[in-house]
Amino acid sequence: GGGGGVVGALVALQTYVDGDPRERFYTCDWGVACDSEHSVLAVGGELRQIKLIDCHSARVEATLQGHGAAIHEVRFLPHRRGLLASASRDEAVRLWHTASRLCVAVFAGERGHLDAVLSVDVSPDGTALASSGVDGTVKLWSVDQPAVSAAVARADALAERRAEAQA
């Protein structure tokens, strides 16, 4: 008896293996590169860093560092190209500006998670993040606040200056 499934072998379109054999990837999410229409894949794992892989060239375009422990999940914000949220074992959710490679906000601390953050997602309108963790809580975080907007604007300006310098 079939089940209507695919018969035969499925073939991977691409395979990425990190240069460090200690890396174990736990998460990935699709986005679009800030400077082109190419797909970019954000991947994170055991070594506390996020790699942005340009799927057109099959190369790592950037590495984002700042978490103090393994990264459990990454999510691009669909309403704002180039913003990426990450959840980590270090009890923090971070918001990254991928063009500048800067962390523009850290959601943690006194009102944050008390143990590893396992999951992060973006609200349908892009104004909030939801995170869940080993501490048994779900937290809602506003990304639509003046401090975050100002940090994103500064990162936008930095990315533009870098792009102009390279042109």
Side-chain angles (χ1 to χ4, degrees), residues 14 16 39-43 51-55 58-61:
Q14 285 183 17
Y16 174 77
S39 294
V40 63
L41 190 64
V43 298
K51 294 197 176 180
L52 302 176
I53 301 171
D54 180 330
C55 296
R59 291 189 331 220
V60 174
E61 293 295 321

Side-chain angles (χ1 to χ4, degrees), residues 47-65:
L47 295 184
R48 308 181 317 259
Q49 57 191 356
I50 299 166
K51 294 197 176 180
L52 302 176
I53 301 171
D54 180 330
C55 296
H56 181 74
S57 66
R59 291 189 331 220
V60 174
E61 293 295 321
T63 301
L64 308 177
Q65 297 179 318

Side-chain angles (χ1 to χ4, degrees), residues 73-134:
E73 190 152 52
V74 293
R75 284 285 173 263
F76 279 100
L77 279 67
H79 293 63
R80 179 60 167 80
R81 181 186 284 193
L83 290 184
L84 176 74
S86 60
S88 172
R89 188 182 305 149
D90 68 4
E91 304 176 9
V93 172
R94 289 179 178 258
L95 184 64
W96 303 90
H97 185 278
T98 60
S100 67
R101 293 155 173 69
L102 294 175
C103 175
V104 293
V106 179
F107 303 94
E110 184 178 307
R111 296 186 180 185
H113 288 281
L114 301 176
D115 206 333
V117 185
L118 299 175
S119 181
V120 65
D121 203 2
V122 184
S123 66
D125 65 1
T127 63
L129 301 175
S131 60
S132 61
V134 174

